[in-house]
């Protein structure tokens, strides 16, 4: 396996986007105006943004040997990402998602984790442990995969001095009800986390607060060293023991919000790798998120020169 700066374990999918006039409710029907197919998945997207910024990255875990795995691997290779720690399971189906997107850029997501969610803690230890230990950052998530292998990877990273970058991408209530982990598992993940980015429903559920700064301060008390919260058009908040930074969002023509949070997370990870002050980290991550919204697909992500050009404007 190759040596890379940032590795990741988590959702890695092919996204099927249906562009629709409006999102459906109940027994509604609607004609889609366009179908687009893109590689996606929370952790895979995070890593892609890091790669486009200029760091070396690699996803590890299980894929199938179907046509969707080719789409995923081709996309990784097109971005110069390492695939030496990807294992393909014969006869298995890779992960997919169905994503309707309306005229305002809002969307909902139907997830089919398939073989990627079957990786075990033992496989993490025996097959992927060395890949984790050689990195600077481990990206992972609470979204599609069970927390047992996630926690195993986080423990390996912590013991090796690798920073855990955790994307809490779903409401904890959903995560527990789906049988992906317990409240105790989530609490353990929080204690192991160095850099946390929760989605807004998760942050509200875990803190009982609605103000981003209050949520961030409460989340810091659960274990993370850095908490980053996005607030759409209001920008973001980054909190640490050194204080709280708020940076406004960049104004762009929004086409599709899918992947904006993933782009933010990738930009956050890259910027922290550079050792930048948190106000610049926040601005850089905001710019990544904004540019991702200007085209369809979670991988509508910018490269470093485009990101810095937006920041200069």
């Amino acid at each position: 396996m190759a040596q890379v700066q940032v590795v990741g374990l988590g959702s890695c999918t092919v996204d099927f986007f249906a562009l629709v006039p409006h999102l459906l409710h109940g027994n509604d029907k609607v004609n889609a105006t366009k179908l687009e197919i893109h590689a996606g998945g929370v952790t895979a997207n995070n890593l892609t943004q890091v790669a486009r910024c200029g760091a070396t990255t690699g996803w590890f875990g299980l894929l199938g040997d179907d046509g969707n795995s080719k789409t995923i691997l081709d996309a990784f290779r097109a971005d110069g990402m390492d695939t030496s720690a990807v294992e393909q399971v014969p006869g298995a189906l890779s992960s997919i998602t169905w994503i309707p997107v309306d005229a305002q850029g809002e969307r909902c997501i139907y997830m089919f984790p398939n073989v990627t969610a079957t990786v075990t803690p033992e496989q993490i230890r025996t097959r992927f442990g060395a890949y984790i230990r050689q990195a600077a950052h481990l990206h992972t998530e609470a979204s599609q995969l069970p927390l047992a292998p996630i926690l195993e990877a986080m423990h390996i990273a912590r013991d090796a001095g690798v920073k855990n970058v955790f994307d809490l991408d779903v409401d904890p209530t959903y995560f527990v009800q789906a049988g992906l982990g317990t409240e105790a598992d989530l609490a353990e993940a929080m204690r192991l986390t160095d850099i946390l980015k929760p989605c807004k429903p998760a942050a509200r559920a875990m803190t009982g607060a609605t103000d981003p700064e209050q949520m961030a301060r409460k989340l810091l008390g659960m274990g993370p060293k850095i908490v980053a919260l996005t607030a759409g058009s209001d920008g973001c908040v980054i909190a640490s023991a050194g204080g709280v930074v708020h940076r406004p969002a960049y104004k762009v023509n929004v086409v599709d919000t899918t992947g904006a949070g993933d782009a933010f997370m990738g930009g956050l990870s890259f910027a922290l790798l550079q050792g930048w002050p948190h106000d610049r980290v926040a601005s850089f991550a905001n710019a990544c998120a904004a540019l991702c919204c200007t085209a369809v697909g979670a991988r509508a992500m910018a490269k470093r020169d485009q990101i810095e050009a937006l920041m200069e404007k």
Side-chain angles (χ1 to χ4, degrees):
M1 294 179 184
Q3 185 168 359
V4 296
Q5 294 167 286
V6 182
V7 301
L9 169 70
S11 52
C12 179
T13 73
V14 173
D15 295 339
F16 292 81
F17 289 86
L19 306 188
V20 297
H22 61 269
L23 300 181
L24 296 181
H25 302 281
N27 293 316
D28 291 349
K29 293 182 180 180
V30 68
N31 283 334
T33 58
K34 189 177 183 181
L35 173 67
E36 295 193 11
I37 301 172
H38 302 274
V42 172
T43 296
N45 292 340
N46 293 168
L47 296 172
T48 298
Q49 182 66 83
V50 176
R52 290 188 188 175
C53 291
T56 54
T57 68
W59 184 88
F60 65 92
L62 306 181
L63 295 181
D65 61 354
D66 53 352
N68 289 327
S69 68
K70 183 178 186 304
T71 299
I72 291 167
L73 291 171
D74 285 350
F76 282 158
R77 290 167 183 146
D79 280 304
M81 297 167 64
D82 178 53
T83 59
S84 64
V86 176
E87 291 198 12
Q88 292 184 263
V89 180
L93 296 176
S94 300
S95 178
I96 64 171
T97 57
W98 293 346
I99 307 175
V101 182
D102 71 14
Q104 287 72 48
E106 295 301 316
R107 82 284 191 268
C108 54
I109 301 176
Y110 301 87
M111 303 184 294
F112 300 80
N114 296 335
V115 73
T116 301
T118 67
V119 68
T120 66
E122 181 182 3
Q123 288 172 323
I124 298 299
R125 283 193 302 274
T126 60
R127 301 184 191 181
F128 306 115
Y131 197 62
I132 297 168
R133 294 185 189 98
Q134 57 80 46
H137 284 183
L138 167 68
H139 277 250
T140 191
E141 65 182 67
S143 177
Q144 295 187 22
L145 274 65
L147 267 186
I150 298 291
L151 288 171
E152 185 66 33
M154 294 179 81
H155 275 291
I156 291 170
R158 172 58 63 87
D159 291 345
V162 178
K163 292 189 183 301
N164 281 310
V165 184
F166 189 60
D167 197 330
L168 183 52
D169 197 53
V170 293
D171 186 311
T173 302
Y174 159 79
F175 197 80
V176 172
Q177 290 176 347
L180 297 174
T182 65
E183 291 183 6
D185 291 332
L186 279 171
E188 183 179 356
M190 293 288 284
R191 289 192 294 271
L192 292 167
T193 295
D194 294 288
I195 303 157
L196 172 72
K197 186 192 77 65
C199 65
K200 288 186 285 294
R204 287 193 294 264
M206 295 186 75
T207 64
T210 57
D211 175 74
E213 186 170 329
Q214 290 181 346
M215 288 190 287
R217 291 186 184 279
K218 288 188 176 184
L219 289 166
L220 282 175
M222 300 178 190
K225 308 298 186 298
I226 296 172
V227 174
L229 288 167
T230 58
S233 60
D234 291 329
C236 74
V237 166
I238 295 182
S240 67
V244 178
V245 171
H246 176 266
R247 298 298 292 173
Y250 293 93
K251 293 182 179 180
V252 295
N253 180 35
V254 175
V255 174
D256 174 25
T257 59
T258 305
D262 301 338
F264 178 93
M265 186 65 142
L268 177 74
S269 178
F270 176 81
L272 290 169
L273 271 179
Q274 311 315 303
W276 294 339
H278 285 181
D279 57 348
R280 178 167 172 77
V281 169
S283 294
F284 189 88
N286 274 349
C288 290
L291 289 167
C292 186
C293 294
T294 59
V296 173
R299 300 279 176 89
M301 295 169 173
K303 294 189 176 182
R304 183 170 176 175
D305 58 344
Q306 298 167 302
I307 296 160
E308 293 182 339
L310 178 61
M311 292 171 67
E312 289 173 8
K313 290 181 181 179

